[in-house]
């Protein structure tokens, strides 16, 4: 078989069929079968239009168009051939036969040179796999000679995906049509676009998650370091670190992004925009985290420092073995809130062209003229922020239960019961150390 | 205890100690010596400066003036490595101050590992031993929040003892406890005193002071008003302020 195929190929290469000098293929197109878009989906009914012009000194009595392999005919498929002399239609077609491989058009009388042949095939489905497809074929002239046609200009076909299938199915549903007849619903909650946006914006979602999942962990050590500086013994260190924190917290992230993205190139520094986005987010978040950590560390009862000191532990040992482990549990809720804020703020990077959720949504909105992709983007943001909010709430409850008794100096049952009743007022009263705090 | 007592040597010596909080003078020139093996109980009304005095001994409060010696070291000398001194000065707080994120055993192990650089095995062995001594051998893996106040305070005592302190400071160790939990802690302290530990105890427990103390010190207004054998201070106070105070609490 293979040998024969190779031989056939060799033969066809060495002795090319007569070129279709007598019939110039001018165009071959397929009508878009997408609801919103202009592409041709394979495997779905479309209308193919083919045109060819008869050259000088040629007369054509029969035309055969052959379709690419994999072509199928949908219900109600038909072909129509027209012979045009300029704008005038000539009655020249005798018969048109259509099957899944070809359309054969015979003419009553030979079509003379200079005339345009137009063949339209309705409800034909081009191959399902995406690719460029040409329509070939041949013609017979009045001398009985059969001449091969030059392949038509390619028709780009995109493959049918699940999403497109669902979209097409939705197109036909009466409820979708009546839903979309309401302007508000069509513009903001277009079912077809919801289906199209979800997979499309998924990439954007991953990009945004990537920004925050790299940026935030980067902000943690910076924030911790800054929080230490904020509590440093040296006044000048405290001062400098407070400038850092106050400037970053006192200016919009949007402004910081602009300064970084438009300022650095002036200095001849070019950083990959995705990386720079991460750096700006990390820097911004570090200032907030620094204050969260500082508050967390300072909320640890001073008895913990005293107990550590009284055991001979130095400041570093105390910090890392006693204070930070306790601080971690306390700052997790606020730090998670900060994570949520930062995650939402990744959207600001859209303004400087970093690929993230908003950019994906924006470009979809621009190409469809519909707001639905923004709504889907909102859904993706909520997909992260809502569960995290829940987690924070449950963590705070657990924390309140775990720390309620351990930090209270008096753990009498009576007192403990009161603590649970009023969790807010758990402060281990310093006033009990009467001698340390003389009044 | 007696063997130590035969060669008295000051473990802590305080000379003309003054301490201000802002403009408020809390300690107005305190002199005190505590010998090895001695149990000193400090009494006095709130605000008399007794806790501040105790906290000055391991520099949790920085004296404004005056000197404090621990054994042969003048700890008020700025050049002194205070963490080195604190290793040998155990302290028990009114509010326990256990590390809430660590189990009882790990509370006792932490400073042994970090400060004394003991191996994990050794620190663990000593922790279990000390927790056993304070009657908590069945609670080694409990978290502080799962323990009663009395149990927490005993863990705190075990934690201090694991460092092999030369002196133990008790800052109102039972004041935050329910009455029924006080006894367990006092029992541990009594045992400790019997074992010859040098102790400085700020307390309101007269019975305990009377029974265990070698010396009672009565403070008021930032000075030591009166001191002596507990039976003398309690039974026959020479100062009116002492009488007033004792009259109020008994």
């Amino acid at each position: 078989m293979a040998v024969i195929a190779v031989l056939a190929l060799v033969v066809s290469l060495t002795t090319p069929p007569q070129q279709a000098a007598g019939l110039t293929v001018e165009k071959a197109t397929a009508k878009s079968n997408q609801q919103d878009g202009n592409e041709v989906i394979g495997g779905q009914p479309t209308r193919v239009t083919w045109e060819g012009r008869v050259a000088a000194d040629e007369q054509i009595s029969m035309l055969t168009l052959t379709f690419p392999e994999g072509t199928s005919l949908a219900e109600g498929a038909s072909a129509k051939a027209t012979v045009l002399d300029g704008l005038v239609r000539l009655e020249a077609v005798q018969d048109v036969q259509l099957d899944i491989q070809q359309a054969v058009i015979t003419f009553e009388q030979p079509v003379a040179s200079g005339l345009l042949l137009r063949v339209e095939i309705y409800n034909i489905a081009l191959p399902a796999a995406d690719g460029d497809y040409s329509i070939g074929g041949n013609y017979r002239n009045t001398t009985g000679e059969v001449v091969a046609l030059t392949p038509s200009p390619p028709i780009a076909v995109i493959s049918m995906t699940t999403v497109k299938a669902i979209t097409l199915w939705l197109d036909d549903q009466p409820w979708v049509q009546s839903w979309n007849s309401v302007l508000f619903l069509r513009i903001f909650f277009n079912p077809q676009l919801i289906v199209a946006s979800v997979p499309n914006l998924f990439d954007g979602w991953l990009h945004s998650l990537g920004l925050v999942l790299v940026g935030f962990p980067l902000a943690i050590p910076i924030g911790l370091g800054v929080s230490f500086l904020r509590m440093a013994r040296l006044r000048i260190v405290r001062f400098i670190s407070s400038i850092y924190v106050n400037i970053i917290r006192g200016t919009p992230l949007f402004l910081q992004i602009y300064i970084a993205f438009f300022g650095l190139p002036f200095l001849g520094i070019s950083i990959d925009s995705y990386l720079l986005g991460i750096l700006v987010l990390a820097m911004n978040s570090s200032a907030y985290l620094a204050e969260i950590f500082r508050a967390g560390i300072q909320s640890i009862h001073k008895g913990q420092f005293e107990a550590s000191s009284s055991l001979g532990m130095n400041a570093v040992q105390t910090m890392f073995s006693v204070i930070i482990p306790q601080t971690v549990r306390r700052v997790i809720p606020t730090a998670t809130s900060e994570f949520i804020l930062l995650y939402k703020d990744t959207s600001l990077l859209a303004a400087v062209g970093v690929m993230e959720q908003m950019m994906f949504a924006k470009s979809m909105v621009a190409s469809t003229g519909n707001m639905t992709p923004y709504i889907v983007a909102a859904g993706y943001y909520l997909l992260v922020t809502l569960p995290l909010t829940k987690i924070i709430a449950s963590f705070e409850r657990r924390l309140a239960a775990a720390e309620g008794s351990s930090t209270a100096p008096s753990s009498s049952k009576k007192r403990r019961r009161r603590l649970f009743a009023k969790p807010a007022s758990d402060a281990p009263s310093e006033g009990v150390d009467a001698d340390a705090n003389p009044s | 205890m007696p063997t130590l007592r035969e060669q008295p040597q000051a473990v802590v010596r305080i000379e003309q100690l003054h301490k201000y909080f802002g403009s408020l003078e809390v300690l107005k020139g305190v002199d005190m010596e505590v010998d090895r093996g001695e149990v000193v109980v400090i009494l006095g009304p709130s605000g008399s400066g007794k806790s501040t005095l105790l906290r000055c001994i391991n520099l949790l409060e920085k004296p404004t003036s005056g000197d404090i010696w621990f054994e042969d070291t003048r700890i008020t000398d700025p050049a002194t490595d205070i963490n080195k001194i604190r290793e040998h000065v155990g302290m028990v707080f009114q509010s326990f101050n256990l590390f809430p994120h660590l189990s009882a055993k790990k509370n006792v192990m932490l400073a042994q590992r970090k400060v004394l650089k003991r191996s994990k095995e050794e620190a663990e062995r000593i922790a279990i031993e000390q927790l056993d001594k304070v009657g908590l051998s069945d609670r080694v893996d409990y978290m502080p929040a799962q323990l009663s106040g009395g149990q927490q305070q005993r863990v705190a005592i075990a934690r201090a003892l694991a460092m092999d302190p030369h002196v133990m400071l008790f800052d109102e160790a039972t004041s935050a406890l329910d009455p029924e939990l006080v006894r367990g802690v006092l029992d541990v302290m009594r045992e400790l005193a019997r074992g010859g530990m040098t102790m400085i105890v700020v307390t309101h427990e007269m019975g305990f002071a009377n029974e265990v103390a070698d010396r009672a010190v009565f403070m008021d207004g930032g000075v030591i008003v009166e001191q002596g054998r507990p039976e003398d201070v309690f039974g026959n106070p020479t100062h009116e302020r002492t009488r007033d105070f004792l009259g109020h609490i008994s």
Side-chain angles (χ1 to χ4, degrees):
Chain A
M1 279 298 280
V3 176
I4 295 167
V6 169
L7 278 177
L9 186 68
V10 169
V11 169
S12 69
L13 284 176
T14 47
T15 57
Q18 263 187 287
Q19 282 307 299
L23 182 61
T24 314
V25 179
E26 292 197 333
K27 105 176 204 192
T29 55
K31 187 174 185 292
S32 171
N33 48 11
Q34 267 186 316
Q35 179 78 358
D36 297 285
N38 42 25
E39 287 173 301
V40 181
I41 303 169
Q44 290 296 313
T46 179
R47 188 186 76 211
V48 170
T49 306
W50 177 97
E51 285 175 5
R53 192 177 294 279
V54 183
D57 310 326
E58 191 64 292
Q59 295 211 318
I60 291 170
S61 59
M62 191 166 95
L63 173 67
T64 303
L65 296 181
T66 51
F67 308 131
E69 190 153 340
T71 299
S72 59
L73 296 175
E75 217 179 286
S78 64
K80 186 179 141 200
T82 319
V83 181
L84 289 164
D85 181 8
L87 290 173
V88 182
R89 282 170 64 154
L90 303 177
E91 294 301 325
V93 178
Q94 185 182 53
D95 185 36
V96 178
Q97 282 183 341
L98 178 68
D99 61 37
I100 62 164
Q101 284 167 350
Q102 57 189 15
V104 181
I105 300 114
T106 47
F107 300 99
E108 268 171 34
Q109 53 203 23
V111 180
S113 58
L115 296 180
L116 184 71
L117 286 173
R118 176 185 294 159
V119 181
E120 287 163 305
I121 303 141
Y122 298 89
N123 288 324
I124 181 172
L126 290 167
D130 61 349
D132 292 336
Y133 295 99
S134 294
I135 291 168
N138 56 55
Y139 67 88
R140 187 186 298 162
N141 59 18
T142 41
T143 61
E145 195 179 2
V146 173
V147 183
L149 291 172
T150 50
S152 72
I155 301 168
V157 169
I158 56 171
S159 67
M160 182 69 172
T161 61
T162 317
V163 170
K164 283 171 203 142
I166 298 172
T167 310
L168 283 168
W169 178 82
L170 284 173
D171 285 344
D172 292 337
Q173 302 307 305
W175 71 266
V176 174
Q177 284 154 13
S178 53
W179 174 282
N180 281 343
S181 68
V182 180
L183 177 70
F184 173 76
L185 295 177
R186 185 174 75 241
I187 295 299
F188 289 93
F189 298 95
N190 188 303
Q192 292 96 321
L193 271 174
I194 290 175
V195 171
S197 299
V198 167
N200 198 349
L201 296 186
F202 180 75
D203 280 353
W205 184 64
L206 292 183
H207 276 79
S208 283
L209 269 186
L211 283 167
V212 75
L213 286 181
V214 179
F216 192 75
L218 201 60
I220 290 174
I222 304 173
L224 194 59
V226 173
S227 78
F228 287 156
L229 298 181
R230 291 274 282 145
M231 295 181 286
R233 218 164 273 149
L234 275 178
R235 199 192 193 92
I236 178 76
V237 177
R238 286 205 306 271
F239 181 69
I240 292 171
S241 54
S242 79
I243 287 180
Y244 176 83
V245 168
N246 287 328
I247 286 184
I248 288 180
R249 299 205 316 162
T251 57
L253 173 57
F254 198 55
L255 181 77
Q256 293 160 19
I257 289 171
Y258 266 44
I259 291 176
F261 276 77
F262 301 125
L264 289 182
F266 273 113
L267 303 178
I269 302 168
S270 76
I271 304 175
D272 172 73
S273 70
Y274 197 79
L275 180 64
L276 184 57
I278 286 172
L279 292 177
V280 177
L281 290 179
M283 183 190 73
N284 181 270
S285 202
S286 72
Y288 288 92
L289 285 178
E291 290 301 274
I292 291 170
F293 293 153
R294 186 170 68 102
I297 289 169
Q298 288 176 343
S299 79
I300 302 291
H301 190 249
K302 78 177 194 327
Q304 293 292 311
F305 292 91
E306 291 182 350
S308 309
S309 297
S310 77
L311 290 164
M313 291 166 68
N314 62 34
V316 174
Q317 290 165 339
T318 302
M319 200 43 91
F320 284 95
S321 303
V322 177
I323 306 304
I324 289 183
Q326 295 182 55
T327 306
V328 166
R329 303 193 329 183
R330 289 189 191 192
V331 302
I332 277 182
T334 28
T336 312
S337 300
E338 173 55 27
F339 178 89
I340 292 174
L341 288 176
L342 190 69
Y343 172 59
K344 291 187 294 179
D345 282 348
T346 57
S347 59
L348 294 174
L349 290 168
V352 288
V354 175
M355 283 314 284
E356 45 67 68
Q357 184 78 91
M358 271 300 290
M359 279 291 275
F360 277 74
K362 251 167 74 174
S363 63
M364 266 198 92
V365 165
S367 71
T368 60
N370 191 293
M371 293 292 119
T372 307
Y374 283 153
I375 303 295
V376 173
Y380 270 116
Y381 282 110
L382 290 171
L383 196 62
V384 173
T385 55
L386 286 185
L388 279 180
T389 313
K390 281 266 177 232
I391 289 171
I392 293 174
S394 79
F395 205 93
E396 276 175 336
R397 272 199 304 277
R398 272 182 28 212
L399 193 67
E403 296 226 326
S405 46
S406 64
T407 52
S410 148
S411 59
S412 82
K413 286 185 196 104
K414 221 167 27 180
R415 172 132 173 93
R416 210 182 277 173
R417 240 182 266 127
R418 267 198 290 140
L419 282 175
F420 279 109
K422 280 197 299 175
S425 67
D426 82 322
S429 95
E430 312 248 333
V432 194
D433 306 18
D435 287 356
N437 302 284
S439 47
Chain B
M1 177 167 85
T3 51
L4 288 169
R5 192 54 68 75
E6 275 157 25
Q7 31 176 293
Q9 180 207 345
V11 178
V12 175
R13 198 163 89 243
I14 299 166
E15 287 182 0
Q16 276 307 300
L17 188 65
H18 289 262
K19 172 66 185 175
Y20 285 84
F21 285 115
S23 60
L24 182 72
E25 189 174 17
V26 184
L27 295 178
K28 302 171 178 172
V30 174
D31 295 284
M32 190 163 91
E33 252 187 59
V34 179
D35 289 340
R36 190 168 300 286
E38 196 178 11
V39 176
V40 176
V41 169
I42 304 177
L43 308 157
S46 272
S48 60
K50 52 195 194 305
S51 278
T52 307
L53 175 64
L54 203 64
R55 293 160 59 84
C56 280
I57 294 172
N58 63 1
L59 293 197
L60 285 183
E61 301 292 352
K62 213 170 167 329
T64 311
S65 68
D67 280 314
I68 301 171
W69 273 266
F70 174 75
E71 294 171 342
D72 297 326
T73 315
R74 187 167 73 96
I75 65 171
T76 40
D77 180 348
T80 304
D81 177 3
I82 186 58
N83 287 329
K84 212 72 206 145
I85 302 300
R86 284 170 176 160
E87 286 176 28
H88 304 296
V89 181
M91 181 143 185
V92 177
F93 300 87
Q94 180 182 11
S95 50
F96 329 141
N97 295 342
L98 288 186
F99 305 133
H101 61 299
L102 299 177
S103 67
K105 185 175 75 182
K106 295 211 163 125
N107 259 279
V108 183
M109 287 171 66
L110 181 65
Q112 294 188 63
R113 302 268 290 126
K114 299 285 171 191
V115 178
L116 302 181
K117 310 289 179 201
R118 283 178 184 156
S119 72
K120 185 164 179 276
E121 292 71 27
E122 193 187 4
E124 189 165 7
R125 181 178 58 75
I126 292 172
I128 291 170
E129 196 179 296
Q130 291 296 348
L131 285 170
D132 186 40
K133 259 191 206 165
V134 299
L136 291 174
S137 49
D138 56 339
R139 293 284 189 274
V140 290
D141 290 319
Y142 279 51
M143 299 304 282
Q146 298 169 303
L147 299 172
S148 76
Q151 290 168 335
Q152 288 192 51
Q153 191 61 295
R154 284 185 276 154
V155 174
I157 294 172
R159 180 174 71 177
L161 289 176
M163 304 297 285
D164 300 328
H166 297 190
V167 58
M168 284 285 285
L169 312 177
F170 290 86
D171 187 5
E172 304 206 28
T174 57
S175 299
L177 297 177
D178 277 356
E180 74 266 23
L181 300 174
V182 167
R183 212 179 63 197
V185 174
L186 290 184
D187 285 347
V188 168
M189 291 168 67
R190 193 176 292 116
E191 268 315 299
L192 212 52
R194 288 214 186 98
M197 175 62 74
T198 310
M199 293 163 67
I200 306 177
V201 182
V202 169
T203 187
H204 294 295
E205 299 288 337
M206 290 305 149
F208 172 81
N210 210 353
E211 178 195 346
V212 175
D214 296 308
R215 180 156 45 116
V217 174
F218 176 71
M219 282 184 76
D220 191 16
V223 293
I224 292 176
V225 175
E226 178 166 3
Q227 58 177 313
R229 295 192 308 159
E231 52 267 40
D232 294 340
V233 175
F234 296 146
N236 188 18
T238 52
H239 284 75
E240 197 173 328
R241 273 192 286 176
T242 318
R243 274 199 295 276
D244 266 9
F245 175 72
L246 293 172
H248 272 111
I249 61 170
S250 49

